[in-house]
Coordinates of all heavy atoms in Angstrom, one line a residue:
M698 N 95.4 73.2 178.3 CA 94.0 73.1 178.4 C 93.4 73.9 177.4 O 92.2 73.6 176.8 CB 93.5 73.6 179.8 CG 93.8 72.6 180.9 SD 92.9 71.1 180.7 CE 91.2 71.5 180.7
E699 N 93.9 75.1 177.0 CA 93.3 75.9 176.1 C 93.1 75.2 174.6 O 92.1 75.3 174.0 CB 94.1 77.1 175.8 CG 93.5 78.1 174.8 CD 94.5 79.4 174.7 OE1 94.8 80.0 175.7 OE2 94.6 79.9 173.6
Y700 N 94.1 74.5 174.2 CA 94.2 73.6 173.0 C 92.9 72.5 173.1 O 92.2 72.4 172.2 CB 95.5 72.9 172.8 CG 95.4 72.1 171.5 CD1 95.5 72.7 170.2 CD2 95.3 70.7 171.7 CE1 95.5 71.9 169.2 CE2 95.2 69.9 170.5 CZ 95.4 70.5 169.2 OH 95.3 69.8 168.1
L701 N 93.0 72.0 174.2 CA 91.8 70.8 174.4 C 90.5 71.5 174.3 O 89.6 71.1 173.7 CB 92.1 70.2 175.7 CG 91.1 69.0 176.0 CD1 91.0 68.0 174.9 CD2 91.4 68.5 177.5
D702 N 90.3 72.7 175.1 CA 89.0 73.3 175.1 C 88.6 73.7 173.7 O 87.4 73.6 173.2 CB 89.0 74.4 175.9 CG 89.0 74.1 177.5 OD1 88.7 73.1 177.8 OD2 89.5 75.1 178.3
R703 N 89.6 74.2 172.8 CA 89.3 74.6 171.4 C 88.8 73.4 170.7 O 87.9 73.4 169.8 CB 90.6 75.3 170.9 CG 90.3 76.6 170.4 CD 91.5 77.3 169.7 NE 92.7 76.5 169.4 CZ 93.8 76.6 170.1 NH1 93.9 77.5 171.1 NH2 95.0 75.9 169.8
K704 N 89.5 72.3 170.8 CA 89.2 71.0 170.0 C 87.9 70.6 170.5 O 87.0 70.0 169.7 CB 90.2 70.0 170.2 CG 91.6 70.4 169.4 CD 91.3 70.4 167.9 CE 92.5 71.0 167.2 NZ 92.1 71.0 165.7
L705 N 87.6 70.5 171.7 CA 86.2 70.0 172.1 C 85.1 71.0 171.7 O 84.2 70.5 171.3 CB 86.2 70.0 173.7 CG 87.2 68.9 174.3 CD1 87.1 69.1 175.9 CD2 86.6 67.5 174.0
A706 N 85.2 72.3 171.6 CA 84.3 73.2 171.1 C 84.2 72.9 169.5 O 82.9 72.9 169.2 CB 84.7 74.5 171.3
Q707 N 85.3 72.7 168.9 CA 85.1 72.3 167.4 C 84.4 71.1 167.3 O 83.6 71.0 166.4 CB 86.5 72.2 166.8 CG 87.2 73.5 166.6 CD 88.6 73.3 166.1 OE1 89.2 72.2 166.1 NE2 89.4 74.4 165.7
A708 N 84.6 70.1 168.0 CA 83.9 68.8 167.9 C 82.5 68.9 168.2 O 81.7 68.4 167.5 CB 84.6 67.7 168.8
E709 N 82.1 69.7 169.2 CA 80.7 69.9 169.5 C 80.0 70.7 168.3 O 78.9 70.3 168.0 CB 80.5 70.7 170.8 CG 79.2 70.9 171.3 CD 79.1 71.7 172.6 OE1 80.0 71.6 173.4 OE2 78.1 72.4 172.7
E710 N 80.6 71.7 167.9 CA 80.1 72.4 166.7 C 79.9 71.5 165.5 O 78.9 71.5 164.8 CB 81.0 73.6 166.4 CG 80.4 74.4 165.3 CD 81.4 75.6 164.8 OE1 82.3 76.0 165.6 OE2 80.9 76.3 163.8
R711 N 80.9 70.7 165.1 CA 80.9 69.8 164.1 C 79.6 68.8 164.2 O 78.9 68.6 163.3 CB 82.2 69.0 163.8 CG 82.2 68.0 162.8 CD 82.7 66.7 163.0 NE 82.7 66.2 164.2 CZ 83.7 65.4 164.8 NH1 84.9 65.2 164.2 NH2 83.6 64.9 165.9
N712 N 79.6 68.2 165.5 CA 78.6 67.3 165.8 C 77.1 67.8 165.6 O 76.3 67.3 165.1 CB 78.6 66.8 167.1 CG 79.9 65.8 167.2 OD1 80.5 65.4 166.3 ND2 80.4 65.6 168.4
R713 N 77.0 69.2 166.1 CA 75.7 69.8 165.9 C 75.4 70.1 164.4 O 74.2 70.1 164.0 CB 75.8 71.2 166.7 CG 75.7 71.0 168.2 CD 75.8 72.2 169.1 NE 75.1 73.3 168.6 CZ 75.4 74.6 168.5 NH1 76.7 75.0 168.8 NH2 74.6 75.5 168.1
L714 N 76.4 70.6 163.6 CA 76.3 70.7 162.2 C 75.8 69.5 161.5 O 74.9 69.4 160.7 CB 77.4 71.4 161.7 CG 77.3 71.7 160.1 CD1 76.2 72.7 159.8 CD2 78.7 72.3 159.7
R715 N 76.5 68.4 161.9 CA 76.2 67.0 161.3 C 74.7 66.7 161.6 O 73.9 66.3 160.8 CB 77.1 66.0 161.8 CG 76.7 64.6 161.1 CD 77.8 63.6 161.5 NE 79.1 63.8 160.8 CZ 80.3 63.9 161.2 NH1 80.4 63.8 162.6 NH2 81.3 64.2 160.5
T716 N 74.4 66.8 162.8 CA 72.9 66.5 163.3 C 71.9 67.4 162.4 O 70.9 67.0 162.0 CB 72.8 66.7 164.8 OG1 73.7 65.8 165.4 CG2 71.3 66.5 165.2
F717 N 72.2 68.7 162.3 CA 71.3 69.6 161.6 C 71.2 69.1 160.1 O 70.1 69.1 159.8 CB 72.0 71.0 161.7 CG 71.3 72.0 160.9 CD1 70.0 72.5 161.3 CD2 71.7 72.5 159.8 CE1 69.3 73.4 160.5 CE2 71.1 73.5 159.0 CZ 69.9 73.9 159.3
L718 N 72.4 68.8 159.5 CA 72.2 68.5 158.1 C 71.5 67.1 157.9 O 70.9 66.9 157.0 CB 73.6 68.3 157.5 CG 74.4 69.6 157.3 CD1 75.7 69.6 157.0 CD2 73.7 70.5 156.2
T719 N 71.6 66.1 158.8 CA 71.0 64.9 158.7 C 69.6 65.0 158.9 O 68.7 64.2 158.5 CB 71.6 63.8 159.6 OG1 71.5 64.2 161.0 CG2 72.9 63.5 159.2
T720 N 69.1 66.1 159.7 CA 67.7 66.1 160.0 C 66.9 66.9 158.7 O 65.6 66.7 158.7 CB 67.4 67.0 161.3 OG1 67.9 68.3 161.1 CG2 67.9 66.2 162.4
L721 N 67.7 67.5 157.9 CA 67.0 68.2 156.8 C 66.7 67.2 155.5 O 67.6 66.4 155.3 CB 67.9 69.3 156.2 CG 68.2 70.5 157.2 CD1 69.2 71.4 156.4 CD2 67.1 71.2 157.6
L722 N 65.6 67.4 155.0 CA 65.3 66.5 153.9 C 65.2 67.6 152.6 O 64.3 68.0 152.3 CB 63.9 66.0 154.0 CG 63.7 64.9 155.2 CD1 62.3 64.5 155.4 CD2 64.7 63.9 155.2
A723 N 66.5 67.7 152.0 CA 66.6 68.7 150.9 C 65.8 68.4 149.7 O 65.4 69.1 149.0 CB 68.2 68.6 150.6
D724 N 65.6 67.0 149.6 CA 64.6 66.5 148.5 C 63.2 67.1 148.5 O 62.6 67.3 147.5 CB 64.5 65.1 148.3 CG 66.0 64.4 148.1 OD1 66.8 65.2 147.6 OD2 66.1 63.2 148.3
Q725 N 62.7 67.4 149.7 CA 61.4 68.0 149.8 C 61.3 69.5 149.7 O 60.2 70.1 149.7 CB 60.9 67.7 151.3 CG 60.8 66.2 151.6 CD 60.2 66.0 152.9 OE1 60.2 66.8 153.7 NE2 60.0 64.7 153.2
V726 N 62.5 70.1 149.5 CA 62.5 71.7 149.2 C 62.3 71.9 147.7 O 62.9 71.2 146.9 CB 63.8 72.3 149.7 CG1 63.9 73.7 149.4 CG2 63.9 72.0 151.2
S727 N 61.6 72.7 147.3 CA 61.3 73.0 146.0 C 62.5 73.6 145.2 O 63.4 74.1 145.9 CB 60.1 74.0 145.7 OG 60.5 75.3 146.1
E728 N 62.6 73.4 144.0 CA 63.6 73.9 143.2 C 63.8 75.3 143.2 O 64.8 76.0 143.1 CB 63.3 73.6 141.6 CG 63.7 72.1 141.5 CD 64.9 71.6 141.8 OE1 66.0 72.3 141.5 OE2 65.1 70.5 142.3
E729 N 62.7 76.1 143.6 CA 62.6 77.6 143.8 C 63.6 78.0 145.0 O 63.9 79.2 145.1 CB 61.2 78.1 143.9 CG 60.5 77.8 142.7 CD 59.0 77.6 143.0 OE1 58.6 77.9 144.2 OE2 58.3 77.2 142.3
A730 N 63.9 77.2 145.8 CA 64.7 77.5 147.1 C 66.1 77.3 146.8 O 66.7 76.6 147.5 CB 64.1 76.7 148.2
S731 N 66.7 77.9 145.7 CA 68.2 77.8 145.4 C 69.0 78.3 146.5 O 70.0 77.9 146.7 CB 68.4 78.6 144.2 OG 68.1 79.9 144.2
A732 N 68.6 79.4 147.3 CA 69.4 80.0 148.4 C 69.5 78.8 149.4 O 70.6 78.7 150.1 CB 68.7 81.2 149.0
F733 N 68.5 78.1 149.7 CA 68.5 77.0 150.5 C 69.6 75.9 150.1 O 70.3 75.4 151.0 CB 67.2 76.3 150.8 CG 67.2 75.1 151.7 CD1 67.2 75.3 153.1 CD2 67.2 73.9 151.3 CE1 67.2 74.1 153.9 CE2 67.1 72.7 151.9 CZ 67.3 72.8 153.3
H734 N 69.5 75.6 148.9 CA 70.4 74.5 148.4 C 71.8 75.1 148.5 O 72.9 74.4 148.8 CB 70.1 74.1 147.0 CG 68.9 73.3 146.9 ND1 68.7 71.9 147.3 CD2 67.6 73.7 146.5 CE1 67.6 71.6 147.1 NE2 66.8 72.4 146.6
A735 N 72.1 76.4 148.2 CA 73.4 76.9 148.3 C 73.8 76.9 149.8 O 75.0 76.6 150.1 CB 73.4 78.5 147.9
F736 N 73.0 77.2 150.8 CA 73.3 77.1 152.2 C 73.7 75.6 152.5 O 74.6 75.5 153.2 CB 72.2 77.4 153.0 CG 72.3 77.2 154.5 CD1 73.1 77.8 155.3 CD2 71.4 76.2 155.0 CE1 73.4 77.5 156.6 CE2 71.6 75.8 156.4 CZ 72.5 76.5 157.1
I737 N 72.9 74.7 152.0 CA 73.2 73.2 152.3 C 74.6 72.9 151.8 O 75.3 72.3 152.5 CB 72.1 72.4 151.8 CG1 70.8 72.6 152.6 CG2 72.5 70.8 151.9 CD1 70.9 72.3 153.9
G738 N 74.9 73.3 150.5 CA 76.2 73.1 150.0 C 77.3 73.7 150.9 O 78.3 73.1 151.1
W739 N 77.0 74.9 151.3 CA 78.0 75.6 152.2 C 78.2 74.9 153.3 O 79.3 74.6 153.9 CB 77.6 77.0 152.3 CG 78.5 77.7 153.4 CD1 79.7 78.4 153.2 CD2 78.3 77.8 154.7 NE1 80.2 78.8 154.4 CE2 79.3 78.5 155.4 CE3 77.2 77.3 155.6 CZ2 79.5 78.8 156.8 CZ3 77.3 77.6 157.0 CH2 78.4 78.3 157.6
A740 N 77.2 74.4 154.1 CA 77.2 73.7 155.4 C 77.9 72.4 155.2 O 78.7 72.0 156.1 CB 75.9 73.5 156.0
R741 N 77.8 71.8 154.1 CA 78.4 70.5 153.9 C 80.0 70.6 153.8 O 80.6 69.9 154.2 CB 77.8 69.8 152.7 CG 76.4 69.1 153.0 CD 75.9 68.4 151.8 NE 74.6 67.8 152.1 CZ 73.6 67.6 151.2 NH1 73.8 68.0 149.9 NH2 72.5 67.0 151.6
Q742 N 80.2 71.8 153.0 CA 81.8 72.0 152.9 C 82.3 72.4 154.2 O 83.5 72.0 154.5 CB 82.0 73.1 151.8 CG 81.7 72.7 150.4 CD 81.9 74.0 149.5 OE1 81.8 75.1 149.9 NE2 82.0 73.6 148.2
R743 N 81.5 73.1 154.9 CA 82.1 73.4 156.4 C 82.3 72.3 157.1 O 83.2 72.1 158.0 CB 81.0 74.5 157.0 CG 81.5 74.7 158.4 CD 81.2 76.3 158.6 NE 81.5 76.5 160.0 CZ 82.6 76.9 160.7 NH1 83.9 76.8 159.9 NH2 82.8 77.1 162.0
L744 N 81.4 71.3 157.1 CA 81.3 70.0 157.8 C 82.6 69.3 157.4 O 83.3 68.7 158.2 CB 80.2 69.3 157.7 CG 80.1 67.8 158.3 CD1 80.2 68.0 159.9 CD2 78.7 67.1 158.1
E745 N 82.8 69.2 156.0 CA 84.1 68.5 155.5 C 85.3 69.1 156.2 O 86.3 68.4 156.6 CB 84.0 68.4 154.1 CG 84.8 67.5 153.4 CD 84.6 67.6 151.9 OE1 83.5 67.3 151.5 OE2 85.6 67.9 151.1
K746 N 85.3 70.4 156.2 CA 86.6 71.1 156.7 C 86.8 70.8 158.3 O 87.8 70.6 158.6 CB 86.5 72.6 156.4 CG 87.6 73.4 157.0 CD 87.5 74.9 156.6 CE 88.7 75.6 157.2 NZ 88.6 77.0 157.0
M747 N 85.7 70.7 158.9 CA 85.8 70.5 160.4 C 86.3 69.0 160.6 O 87.1 68.8 161.5 CB 84.4 70.7 161.0 CG 83.9 72.3 160.9 SD 82.4 72.5 161.4 CE 82.6 72.9 163.2
D748 N 85.6 68.2 159.9 CA 86.1 66.8 160.0 C 87.7 66.6 159.7 O 88.3 65.9 160.5 CB 85.4 65.9 159.0 CG 84.0 65.5 159.4 OD1 83.7 65.6 160.7 OD2 83.2 65.1 158.5
T749 N 88.1 67.5 158.8 CA 89.6 67.3 158.5 C 90.4 67.9 159.6 O 91.3 67.4 160.1 CB 90.0 68.2 157.2 OG1 89.2 67.6 156.1 CG2 91.4 68.3 156.8
Q750 N 89.9 68.9 160.2 CA 90.6 69.6 161.4 C 90.5 68.7 162.7 O 91.4 68.9 163.5 CB 89.9 71.0 161.7 CG 90.1 72.0 160.6 CD 89.3 73.2 160.9 OE1 88.3 73.3 161.6 NE2 89.7 74.4 160.4
L751 N 89.7 67.8 162.7 CA 89.5 67.0 163.9 C 90.0 65.4 163.6 O 89.8 64.7 164.5 CB 88.0 67.0 164.4 CG 87.6 68.3 164.9 CD1 86.2 68.3 165.1 CD2 88.3 68.6 166.3
Q752 N 90.7 65.3 162.5 CA 91.3 64.0 162.2 C 92.6 63.8 163.1 O 93.2 64.9 163.4 CB 91.7 63.9 160.7 CG 90.5 63.7 159.7 CD 90.9 63.6 158.3 OE1 92.0 63.8 158.1 NE2 90.0 63.3 157.4
L753 N 92.8 62.6 163.4 CA 93.9 62.2 164.3 C 95.1 62.7 163.8 O 96.0 63.3 164.4 CB 93.9 60.7 164.5 CG 95.2 60.1 165.3 CD1 95.1 60.8 166.7 CD2 95.1 58.6 165.3
A754 N 95.3 62.7 162.4 CA 96.6 63.0 161.7 C 96.8 64.6 161.9 O 97.9 65.1 162.2 CB 96.7 62.7 160.3
T755 N 95.8 65.3 161.7 CA 95.8 66.8 161.9 C 96.2 67.2 163.3 O 97.0 68.0 163.6 CB 94.5 67.5 161.4 OG1 94.2 67.1 160.1 CG2 94.5 69.0 161.5
I756 N 95.5 66.5 164.2 CA 95.8 66.9 165.6 C 97.1 66.5 165.9 O 97.9 67.2 166.8 CB 94.8 66.1 166.5 CG1 93.3 66.8 166.3 CG2 95.1 66.4 168.1 CD1 92.1 66.2 167.0
A757 N 97.5 65.3 165.5 CA 98.9 64.9 165.8 C 99.9 65.8 165.3 O 101.0 66.1 166.0 CB 99.2 63.5 165.3
A758 N 99.8 66.4 164.2 CA 100.6 67.4 163.5 C 100.6 68.7 164.4 O 101.7 69.3 164.7 CB 100.4 67.7 162.1
E759 N 99.5 69.1 164.8 CA 99.5 70.3 165.6 C 100.2 70.1 167.0 O 100.9 70.9 167.4 CB 98.0 70.6 165.9 CG 97.2 71.1 164.7 CD 95.8 71.3 164.8 OE1 95.3 71.0 165.9 OE2 95.1 71.9 163.9
V760 N 99.9 69.0 167.7 CA 100.5 68.7 168.8 C 102.0 68.4 168.9 O 102.7 68.9 169.8 CB 99.8 67.4 169.6 CG1 100.5 67.1 170.8 CG2 98.4 67.8 169.9
S761 N 102.5 67.9 167.8 CA 103.9 67.8 167.6 C 104.7 69.0 167.7 O 105.8 69.1 168.1 CB 104.3 66.9 166.5 OG 104.1 67.6 165.3
G762 N 104.0 70.2 167.3 CA 104.7 71.4 167.3 C 104.6 72.2 168.6 O 105.2 73.2 168.7
M763 N 104.0 71.5 169.6 CA 103.9 72.3 170.9 C 104.8 71.7 171.8 O 104.9 70.6 172.0 CB 102.4 71.9 171.4 CG 101.4 72.5 170.7 SD 99.8 72.1 171.4 CE 98.6 72.6 170.3
N764 N 105.6 72.6 172.4 CA 106.6 72.2 173.4 C 106.1 71.5 174.6 O 106.8 70.6 175.2 CB 107.5 73.4 173.9 CG 108.3 74.0 172.8 OD1 108.8 73.3 171.9 ND2 108.5 75.3 172.9
A765 N 104.9 71.8 174.9 CA 104.2 71.1 176.2 C 104.2 69.5 176.0 O 104.1 68.8 177.0 CB 103.0 71.6 176.4
F766 N 104.0 69.0 174.7 CA 103.9 67.7 174.5 C 105.1 66.9 174.0 O 105.0 65.8 173.5 CB 102.6 67.5 173.6 CG 101.4 68.1 174.2 CD1 100.8 69.2 173.7 CD2 100.8 67.6 175.3 CE1 99.7 69.7 174.2 CE2 99.7 68.1 175.8 CZ 99.1 69.2 175.4
R767 N 106.3 67.6 174.0 CA 107.5 66.9 173.5 C 107.9 65.9 174.6 O 108.0 66.3 175.7 CB 108.4 67.9 173.1 CG 108.0 68.7 172.0 CD 109.3 69.6 171.6 NE 108.8 70.7 170.6 CZ 109.2 70.6 169.3 NH1 110.1 69.8 169.0 NH2 108.7 71.4 168.5
P768 N 108.4 64.8 174.2 CA 109.0 63.9 175.1 C 110.3 64.4 175.8 O 111.1 65.2 175.2 CB 109.4 62.6 174.4 CG 108.7 62.7 173.1 CD 108.4 64.3 172.9
E769 N 110.6 64.2 177.0 CA 111.7 64.8 177.7 C 112.9 64.3 177.0 O 113.0 63.1 176.5 CB 111.7 64.2 179.2 CG 110.7 64.9 180.0 CD 110.7 64.6 181.5 OE1 111.9 64.4 182.0 OE2 109.8 64.6 182.1
G770 N 113.9 65.1 176.9 CA 115.2 64.7 176.2 C 115.1 65.0 174.7 O 116.1 64.7 174.0
D771 N 113.9 65.3 174.2 CA 113.9 65.7 172.8 C 114.5 66.9 172.4 O 114.1 68.0 172.9 CB 112.4 65.8 172.4 CG 112.1 65.4 171.0 OD1 113.0 65.0 170.2 OD2 110.9 65.8 170.4
V772 N 115.5 66.9 171.5 CA 116.2 68.2 171.3 C 115.7 68.8 170.0 O 115.4 68.0 169.1 CB 117.7 67.8 171.1 CG1 118.5 69.0 170.6 CG2 118.3 67.2 172.2
D773 N 115.3 70.0 170.2 CA 114.8 70.7 169.1 C 115.6 72.0 168.6 O 116.7 72.1 169.2 CB 113.3 71.3 169.3 CG 113.2 72.2 170.3 OD1 114.3 72.8 170.7 OD2 112.0 72.5 170.8
S774 N 115.3 72.6 167.6 CA 116.1 73.6 167.1 C 116.3 74.9 168.1 O 117.3 75.4 168.0 CB 115.6 74.2 165.9 OG 114.2 74.7 165.9
Q775 N 115.4 75.0 169.1 CA 115.6 76.1 170.0 C 116.7 75.8 171.1 O 117.3 76.7 171.4 CB 114.4 76.2 170.8 CG 113.1 76.7 169.9 CD 111.8 76.8 170.8 OE1 111.8 76.2 171.9 NE2 110.8 77.4 170.3
E776 N 117.0 74.5 171.3 CA 118.1 74.2 172.2 C 119.4 74.1 171.5 O 120.4 74.0 172.3 CB 117.7 72.9 172.9 CG 116.4 73.0 173.7 CD 116.0 71.6 174.3 OE1 116.7 70.6 173.8 OE2 115.1 71.6 175.0
R777 N 119.5 74.2 170.3 CA 120.8 74.1 169.7 C 121.6 75.3 169.6 O 121.3 76.4 169.8 CB 120.6 73.7 168.1 CG 120.1 72.3 168.1 CD 119.9 71.9 166.6 NE 119.4 70.6 166.6 CZ 118.7 70.1 165.5 NH1 118.6 70.7 164.5 NH2 118.1 68.9 165.6

């Protein structure tokens, strides 16, 4: 449950960040607001990283390393 709770929280944060970024109209901000543009760049990079962390392949790789989700009869290095 802890893993699922973490992933759900990450997904919620990612969705909130995506909504925030889509509501901003960066083109309307003057060139003098370079700190704002830097923030937007940082937020977009963060969103990209979050999307990667929540991709099916990433989650599958994480879950495959958890003993709780291994199929019964699956022999791993701990049992050898």
Side-chain angles (χ1 to χ4, degrees):
M698 281 304 294
E699 185 178 313
Y700 177 80
L701 178 59
D702 288 340
R703 246 188 353 261
K704 286 300 173 185
L705 290 171
Q707 287 174 347
E709 183 178 328
E710 182 182 350
R711 183 220 31 214
N712 293 343
R713 288 176 47 220
L714 181 56
R715 180 176 287 125
T716 298
F717 175 74
L718 286 171
T719 58
T720 60
L721 296 177
L722 301 175
D724 294 339
Q725 294 180 353
V726 177
S727 70
E728 289 298 319
E729 298 151 8
S731 62
F733 176 77
H734 289 288
F736 167 70
I737 295 300
W739 172 85
R741 286 182 178 149
Q742 287 178 340
R743 176 137 173 86
L744 179 60
E745 198 173 299
K746 181 179 178 184
M747 295 172 93
D748 280 338
T749 300
Q750 292 172 335
L751 292 166
Q752 287 179 348
L753 179 59
T755 303
I756 292 172
E759 291 172 354
V760 170
S761 70
M763 296 178 185
N764 287 331
F766 300 111
R767 289 180 192 253
E769 288 185 33
D771 201 13
V772 178
D773 62 19
S774 59
Q775 294 176 344
E776 296 175 352
R777 291 183 187 156

